[in-house]
Structure formats: structure tokens, C-alpha cells
């Protein structure tokens, strides 16, 4: 095995593992947030920790995709667009959650504010994290394909 | 093809412009929050920014990334500059959260000191389990809406000029339930019951078995002042955005506390109708409402307020959120018109501010003060901390829960860190006082 092929394999492994870990943390955060809604403090603590890690890992995943994927290839082009869509969704959900926090605190929807207060962040965060899951899983599989990821030595 | 390329360029320019704008706005907000909390914009920002800052930071990271990616991918100095700006905003965002353990540990030691074993052995089933939870911050505190009902706009006073109302949050069951009277803030010139008085607080505690009475009181009209005196209060009144009722009369502080006193009498007369246990009453208020709550707490058995309050009720505790406790007559006489009454003006100041009133009050119910350390409106040092120390020096039971790096009105985001920590300790304070009784 020549040196370049070995480095390609090593870096490929690293990126695949990163995508896998990101995917798993995102899954944990979504599932635990659903279980946390039942009031179990343990699941709520797991959600709190996993959401923070999920956001950090997801940003890392976005940077990896945007920096290292060759957008001239067909799948690379899709991955690039997907990464920007996830970034946009993350920013949109953060903005919506910030705005709705105060809107519902002021009870703008009357009696429905209590439900909306719980529902709105669930919806926005779950959508953003789900798209993150899609991105990390597509990244994971695309690394097996040739000429999509431009690793450091190749670029 | 050219049109598409032009469209792409325009889109790219617009996105970059928005990203630069956002970073610029958040940088200014962070500077105002960290260094200029006493300015009008500063305290308004400190009121809302800390609890939503982590969410807004996601936008900052996104914008920073887009700027670096599309503007200066190969320019190290510019990348460094953008990173520095993002780091500065990050520091401003993370400070309150990094300081949460300090605030909690301080409050814990005070609770231990005041209640001792009673606090350790308190049955906290059904209460909020931790002072701060990110989960509750994201998804909201759990409130069971089936355990209480709400009746809005019940009139309690018609003085010929105006009618004052209250909202009644009643737990399901026979009662009587311990009472919380909540008084809204607004610098005595704006504000209303209902949506501007943290309704989630009322819903939360109603679901925990307290009968909540969210009341109106008459407001002072700054337009009745001479032009040279009205500036400060008028500018505050203009922040009201029409949230206040339109009263026909202007009400001084004395008249406002009479309104609140009138409500306590109505409550005593209708205690069975409203399922109110008037032997166990807590008075909670925010800002100017905190000031009025302090007068009810300290004045309800004070001869200075003879005939003002119900004689049958017993105040179990005062819960004062970022209250005004200590105002002396300055050379400007800014508060004179607001404070004036039957007594000479100096005596009115003694009667109408807690720091003076506590000195000559023989009955001082337990007090919990909740104050943000970055409060630029009701200053933390002079209005919260100094009163707390003075009350302790007089041997009165007083607890000061400091919400680190939080501004005035920190609990408007009821699920934010300020709202959560304050709710956690208020819930325990009331339970312990009911237990001790």
C-alpha cells in the first residue's frame, strides 16, 4: 500500500467516524428530548448535554463538508447545498426560538401559549437536528465514493 | 447565463451584508450589555439579551462562518479579526451561564442558614427539581393546565373615575388555598396586570396549588408634572407601547398603595368566594410592583398604614423581584410629586420606601428579594444588596437571591436562567414558610 493511499484511508476513517459520531449524538438528542417530555429528569439532563454536543458536532460537520467536499462532482454538489440548507435551518430555528420565547412569555396566544411554548422549540429544533442527521449520514456514505472528498493532501 | 450569474452575485452580496450587519449589531449589544447597563438601551438589553444569547450565538457562528467562507478564505488577518469579534460576543453570551453555579451556591447557603434542617428535609415532590435546567430553557417549564382555572377582569374597585380589575387563578378543589397577590411593575407610570405581569408565573404557581390574584392599581400620569420635572418619567411612560390602561385620574404612590390595600379588604370580604386562605398570604411584585409589595409586606401592621389594609389577613412572606427599596429625597425633587401625601414630604419618603419603613415596623414578615446583578434600573447594590444587609442587621428574616449577570426584569423569559432560578427558590421559600406556620 503506498503512502497516499494509506493517508487517504486514515483520513477517510477519521471523517467517517466523525460523521457517525455526529449522527449518533443527533439521534440521542432527538430521542431523549422526546422522552424528556414525559418529565423524567435523567432524560432531560441527557437531552441538555446531548443538544449542546449535537450543535457543536453539527457545526464541525458543516465545516468539513463545505471545506472538503468537491462541489464539481454530482454528489458533492448535493452535499454542499445540503450543508448550506442545514446551516440556514439551524440559524432560522435559533432565531425563531429566541423570538417565540418572548412572544409566548407575554402570552400572545392566550390559553394556547402554554402549548405553543413547548411545541415551537420542539418543532424547530427537531427539524434542524433531523436535517443534520441527514447530512451526517449522507456524508458517512459518500466518503466511500471516489473523488468527492478532497482530503488535505489532495487539495 | 449572465442573468443567473448576476443573480448569484446579488444574493451573495445580500447574504454577506446581512451577516456583517448581524455581527455588528451583536457586537454593539454585547458592549452595551457588558459595560453600559445603566444607559436606557443598556438596561433594556440586559433585560432581554442574556436569556436568549445562546440561541443568538448560533446565528453569530453561522454568520462568522459565511463571512470567512465567502469573503476572506485565504486572508488570515481578516479571518483572525472575524474570529475575535465572534469570541467577544461569545464571552458576553457565556458569562451569565458560567456564573450560574455561583448564584445558586450563594442562594443555597442562605437557605441553609435560614431554614437549616427544614430545608434539607423539605418534601420537594411536584416542585422544580433543579435550579437551572437547559431542557426547561429549551422546551419550557412543565405546567399542567388542567389543575386550575382562570377568570379575567373581575372588578374590585370603582372610585368614580376609574374601575380597577384583577385576574383570579384558582386551583381545582375546594380550597381554601394559600394566596399570592402579584403586583405588576412599570415605574409606577406604565404596566398592567395580565400579559405584562409574567403570566407564566401565575399559571405555574396556580398549577402548584396557590390562588393567584393578579391586580391592577392606578398609574401616575407624568403629563400632570411641570415640564422640567416630567422628562424622566415621561420617557419611561413612552416605553409603555400602549400596554397600560387609560385611567382618568393620576395616582400617587400613596393612592396606589391604597388601591392595593382596597384589594386586600375585598379579598377578606370574599375569601370563601375566591377560595382564599387569607391567613397565608404572599405578596409578590416586580420593580415598581416590588416596591408596592414591599410596602404591603412591611406596612400591613404598621401604624403609618392604619386602615389601609385588611386587618384579617396574615402576610406569610414578601417576594420582591428587583424592587425599589431605597429612595431618599434628592435635590432634584424628582419623586416629590409621586411621593406626596398627607404627611410632610420628608415623612412621606420615610413612609413610602422599605429601607425607612422597616426601621419602624414591629411586624416584619420573611422577605425574599430576587435581584439581577446587572440591574441598571433598580440598582443591585443600593436597592437589593444594601436593603438585604440592613434587614439582616435588624435581625429580620431576609434572603437575597442574586441572579448573576442578569438585568432588570430577568424573569420576563420565565423559562430562562433568571426565571428558573427565581422560581426554584420562591417555590421553596413559600413551602417552607407554610410549613413553619
Amino acid at each position: 500500500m503506498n503512502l497516499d493511499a494509506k493517508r487517504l484511508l486514515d483520513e477517510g476513517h477519521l471523517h467517517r467516524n466523525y460523521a457517525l459520531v455526529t449522527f449518533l449524538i443527533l439521534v440521542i438528542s432527538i430521542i431523549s428530548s422526546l422522552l424528556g417530555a414525559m418529565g423524567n429528569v435523567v432524560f432531560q439532563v441527557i437531552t441538555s448535554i446531548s443538544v449542546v454536543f449535537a450543535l457543536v458536532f453539527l457545526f464541525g460537520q458543516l465545516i468539513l463538508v463545505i471545506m472538503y467536499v468537491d462541489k464539481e462532482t454530482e454528489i458533492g454538489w448535493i452535499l454542499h447545498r445540503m450543508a448550506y440548507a442545514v446551516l440556514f435551518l439551524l440559524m432560522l430555528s435559533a432565531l425563531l426560538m429566541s423570538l417565540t420565547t418572548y412572544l409566548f412569555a407575554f402570552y400572545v396566544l392566550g390559553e394556547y401559549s402554554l402549548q405553543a411554548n413547548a411545541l415551537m422549540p420542539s418543532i424547530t429544533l427537531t427539524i434542524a437536528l433531523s436535517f443534520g442527521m441527514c447530512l451526517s449520514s449522507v456524508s458517512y456514505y459518500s466518503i466511500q465514493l471516489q473523488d468527492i472528498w478532497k482530503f488535505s493532501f489532495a487539495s | 447565463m449572465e442573468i443567473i450569474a448576476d443573480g448569484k452575485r446579488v444574493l451573495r452580496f445580500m447574504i454577506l451584508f446581512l451577516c456583517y450587519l448581524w455581527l455588528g449589531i451583536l457586537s454593539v449589544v454585547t458592549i452595551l450589555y457588558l459595560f453600559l447597563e445603566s444607559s436606557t438601551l443598556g438596561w433594556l438589553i440586559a433585560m432581554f439579551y442574556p436569556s436568549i444569547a445562546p440561541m443568538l450565538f448560533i446565528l453569530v457562528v453561522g454568520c462568522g462562518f459565511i463571512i470567512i467562507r465567502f469573503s476572506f478564505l485565504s486572508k488570515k488577518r481578516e479571518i483572525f479579526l472575524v474570529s475575535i469579534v465572534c469570541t467577544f460576543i461569545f464571552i458576553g453570551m457565556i458569562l451569565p451561564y458560567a456564573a450560574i453555579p455561583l448564584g445558586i451556591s450563594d442562594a443555597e447557603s442562605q437557605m441553609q442558614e435560614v431554614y437549616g434542617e427544614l430545608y434539607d428535609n423539605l418534601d420537594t415532590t411536584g416542585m422544580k427539581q433543579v435550579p437551572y435546567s437547559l431542557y426547561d430553557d429549551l422546551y419550557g417549564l412543565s405546567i399542567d393546565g388542567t389543575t386550575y382555572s382562570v377568570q379575567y377582569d373581575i372588578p374590585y374597585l370603582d372610585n368614580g373615575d376609574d374601575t380597577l380589575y384583577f385576574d383570579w387563578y384558582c386551583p381545582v378543589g375546594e380550597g381554601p388555598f394559600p394566596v399570592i397577590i402579584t403586583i405588576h411593575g412599570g415605574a409606577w407610570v406604565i404596566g398592567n396586570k395580565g400579559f405584562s405581569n409574567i403570566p407564566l408565573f401565575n399559571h405555574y404557581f396556580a398549577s402548584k396549588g396557590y390562588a393567584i390574584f393578579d391586580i391592577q392599581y392606578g398609574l401616575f400620569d407624568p403629563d400632570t408634572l411641570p415640564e422640567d420635572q416630567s422628562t424622566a418619567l415621561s420617557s419611561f411612560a413612552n416605553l409603555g407601547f400602549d400596554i397600560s390602561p387609560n385611567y382618568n385620574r393620576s395616582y400617587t404612590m400613596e393612592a396606589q398603595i391604597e388601591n392595593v390595600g382596597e384589594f386586600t379588604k375585598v379579598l377578606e370580604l370574599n375569601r370563601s368566594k375566591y377560595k382564599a386562605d387569607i391567613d397565608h398570604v404572599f405578596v409578590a411584585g416586580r420593580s415598581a410592583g416590588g416596591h408596592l409589595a414591599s410596602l404591603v409586606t412591611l406596612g400591613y401592621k404598621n401604624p403609618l398604614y392604619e386602615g389601609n389594609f385588611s386587618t384579617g389577613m396574615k402576610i406569610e412572606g414578601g417576594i420582591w423581584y428587583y424592587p425599589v427599596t431605597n429612595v431618599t429625597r434628592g435635590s432634584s425633587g424628582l419623586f416629590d410629586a409621586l411621593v406626596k401625601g398627607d404627611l410632610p414630604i420628608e415623612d412621606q419618603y420615610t413612609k413610602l420606601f422599605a429601607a425607612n419603613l422597616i426601621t419602624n415596623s414591629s411586624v416584619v414578615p420573611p422577605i425574599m428579594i430576587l435581584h439581577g446583578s446587572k440591574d441598571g434600573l433598580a440598582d443591585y447594590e443600593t436597592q437589593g444588596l444594601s436593603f438585604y444587609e440592613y434587614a439582616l442587621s435588624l435581625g429580620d428574616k431576609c434572603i437575597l437571591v442574586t441572579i448573576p449577570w442578569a438585568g432588570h426584569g430577568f424573569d420576563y423569559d420565565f423559562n430562562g436562567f433568571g426565571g428558573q432560578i427565581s422560581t426554584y427558590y420562591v417555590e421553596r421559600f413559600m413551602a417552607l414558610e407554610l410549613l413553619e406556620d
Side-chain angles (χ1 to χ4, degrees):
Chain A
M1 190 184 287
N2 66 37
L3 195 63
D4 276 1
K6 190 175 179 307
R7 285 175 68 183
L8 177 67
L9 264 179
D10 287 349
E11 255 185 274
H13 271 302
L14 186 73
H15 286 254
R16 281 192 82 186
N17 288 340
Y18 187 89
L20 185 65
V21 170
T22 308
F23 179 81
L24 288 175
I25 294 176
L26 288 164
V27 170
I28 291 168
S29 63
I30 289 178
I31 292 174
S32 61
S33 68
L34 293 173
L35 294 170
M38 293 188 296
N40 187 310
V41 179
V42 177
F43 283 117
Q44 294 183 351
V45 172
I46 293 171
T47 310
S48 306
I49 297 166
S50 60
V51 163
V52 173
F53 276 99
L55 289 172
V56 172
F57 271 76
L58 189 51
F59 265 110
Q61 184 70 69
L62 289 171
I63 291 169
L64 282 180
V65 169
I66 291 170
M67 300 298 285
Y68 291 112
V69 166
D70 182 3
K71 63 177 174 185
E72 300 306 320
T73 61
E74 206 171 324
I75 295 173
W77 187 89
I78 294 168
L79 262 174
H80 251 256
R81 265 59 193 168
M82 213 169 159
Y84 284 119
V86 172
L87 183 62
F88 173 73
L89 272 172
L90 264 178
M91 291 165 74
L92 186 69
S93 70
L95 192 65
L96 278 174
M97 282 172 74
S98 308
L99 290 175
T100 53
T101 290
Y102 279 108
L103 281 180
F104 299 139
F106 284 106
Y107 236 61
V108 287
L109 293 182
E111 295 304 316
Y112 297 110
S113 296
L114 284 178
Q115 289 91 327
N117 199 28
L119 210 57
M120 195 66 191
S122 309
I123 292 170
T124 51
L125 204 60
T126 307
I127 288 174
L129 296 183
S130 305
F131 271 76
M133 279 167 56
C134 291
L135 178 73
S136 55
S137 56
V138 173
S139 300
Y140 178 83
Y141 283 108
S142 71
I143 291 169
Q144 295 175 80
L145 305 173
Q146 280 187 331
D147 301 331
I148 292 173
W149 287 76
K150 303 176 291 183
F151 297 126
S152 56
F153 73 96
S155 56
Chain B
M1 284 300 280
E2 215 169 275
I3 295 170
I4 294 172
D6 282 347
K8 268 187 169 179
R9 265 198 296 275
V10 170
L11 186 67
R12 188 173 157 153
F13 175 77
M14 278 171 60
I15 290 173
L16 272 173
F17 174 75
L18 284 174
C19 290
Y20 277 114
L21 184 71
W22 184 247
L23 278 196
I25 290 172
L26 261 278
S27 303
V28 174
V29 163
T30 307
I31 290 168
L32 285 165
Y33 167 60
L34 289 180
F35 306 113
L36 300 165
E37 75 267 22
S38 297
S39 64
T40 306
L41 213 52
W43 69 254
L44 274 173
I45 284 166
M47 185 184 250
F48 297 109
Y49 178 65
S51 55
I52 54 168
M55 281 296 145
L56 297 181
F57 189 71
I58 293 177
L59 273 88
V60 172
V61 174
C63 289
F65 179 70
I66 289 169
I67 287 172
I68 289 171
R69 178 76 183 83
F70 290 106
S71 292
F72 338 97
L73 196 53
S74 55
K75 297 175 186 169
K76 281 187 179 165
R77 201 181 61 182
E78 283 78 357
I79 290 176
F80 180 71
L81 269 176
V82 173
S83 307
I84 288 286
V85 171
C86 289
T87 309
F88 173 65
I89 297 170
F90 177 73
I91 290 169
M93 174 280 284
I94 204 74
L95 272 174
Y97 293 86
I100 283 175
L102 295 177
I104 291 172
S105 120
D106 180 45
E108 280 295 320
S109 63
Q110 286 186 56
M111 293 293 277
Q112 287 283 355
E113 203 172 307
V114 172
Y115 296 106
E117 273 188 17
L118 207 57
Y119 181 57
D120 294 331
N121 302 327
L122 180 69
D123 179 11
T124 57
T125 314
M127 292 186 193
K128 186 170 162 37
Q129 289 304 307
V130 286
Y132 176 72
S133 148
L134 181 63
Y135 185 90
D136 289 339
D137 204 331
L138 287 172
Y139 297 102
L141 281 167
S142 168
I143 298 173
D144 184 356
T146 61
T147 55
Y148 61 92
S149 60
V150 190
Q151 276 188 40
Y152 297 99
D153 297 323
I154 303 168
Y156 76 88
L157 175 67
D158 187 346
N159 58 21
D161 294 318
D162 298 301
T163 306
L164 300 176
Y165 299 87
F166 70 92
D167 295 340
W168 172 39
Y169 297 70
C170 182
V172 171
E174 289 301 308
F177 303 104
V179 169
I180 307 176
I181 300 170
T182 63
I183 309 171
H184 67 80
W188 309 279
V189 293
I190 56 169
N192 198 356
K193 66 174 179 62
F195 85 97
S196 67
N197 193 24
I198 327 279
L200 285 177
F201 172 95
N202 302 337
H203 284 271
Y204 180 82
F205 282 104
S207 77
K208 302 293 177 191
Y210 293 90
I212 315 285
F213 297 90
D214 181 9
I215 65 170
Q216 286 182 330
Y217 56 89
L219 300 173
F220 182 75
D221 182 2
D223 292 341
T224 58
L225 292 172
E227 204 170 309
D228 58 321
Q229 286 181 22
S230 69
T231 320
L233 289 173
S234 292
S235 61
F236 203 95
N238 291 334
L239 288 173
F241 310 114
D242 289 332
I243 59 170
S244 315
N246 288 316
Y247 294 123
N248 295 312
R249 254 174 62 186
S250 177
Y251 295 80
T252 60
M253 276 181 195
E254 181 109 10
Q256 290 174 352
I257 199 65
E258 279 169 16
N259 291 163
V260 178
E262 197 59 43
F263 174 77
T264 62
K265 292 174 188 169
V266 170
L267 189 62
E268 185 186 351
L269 282 174
N270 297 282
R271 67 177 98 171
S272 51
K273 181 182 174 187
Y274 295 123
K275 300 178 185 177
D277 179 1
I278 61 162
D279 290 327
H280 300 100
V281 177
F282 294 92
V283 194
R286 296 176 174 83
S287 190
H291 162 253
L292 294 175
S294 74
L295 299 185
V296 182
T297 312
L298 300 173
Y300 91 109
K301 292 282 185 196
N302 192 307
L304 281 171
Y305 287 92
E306 199 173 356
N308 197 96
F309 300 105
S310 145
T311 48
M313 72 169 179
K314 186 187 172 210
I315 305 281
E316 288 285 359
I319 300 158
W320 311 347
Y321 285 82
Y322 33 92
V324 179
T325 60
N326 185 14
V327 175
T328 48
R329 195 180 181 213
S331 54
S332 65
L334 177 68
F335 283 94
D336 282 5
L338 200 57
V339 167
K340 75 177 177 191
D342 297 335
L343 301 173
I345 192 71
E346 297 292 351
D347 294 341
Q348 282 294 114
Y349 275 90
T350 305
K351 181 183 175 184
L352 289 171
F353 290 100
N356 304 318
L357 191 62
I358 194 171
T359 315
N360 56 19
S361 291
S362 53
V363 178
V364 179
I367 298 162
M368 178 171 265
I369 302 173
L370 305 112
H371 218 125
S373 65
K374 290 285 275 182
D375 195 328
L377 199 60
D379 181 55
Y380 171 74
E381 301 278 339
T382 58
Q383 305 299 320
L385 186 62
S386 64
F387 179 86
Y388 162 72
E389 287 170 350
Y390 186 52
L392 286 192
S393 73
L394 294 174
D396 297 318
K397 195 194 264 187
C398 185
I399 295 166
L400 172 67
V401 178
T402 304
I403 312 294
W405 290 86
H408 200 72
F410 58 78
D411 61 333
Y412 270 94
D413 178 4
F414 187 68
N415 299 318
F417 71 99
Q420 280 196 47
I421 295 171
S422 55
T423 303
Y424 178 89
Y425 287 108
V426 165
E427 194 169 28
R428 276 153 181 77
F429 170 71
M430 293 195 296
L432 286 161
E433 285 307 324
L434 291 175
L435 208 63
E436 274 196 340
D437 195 46

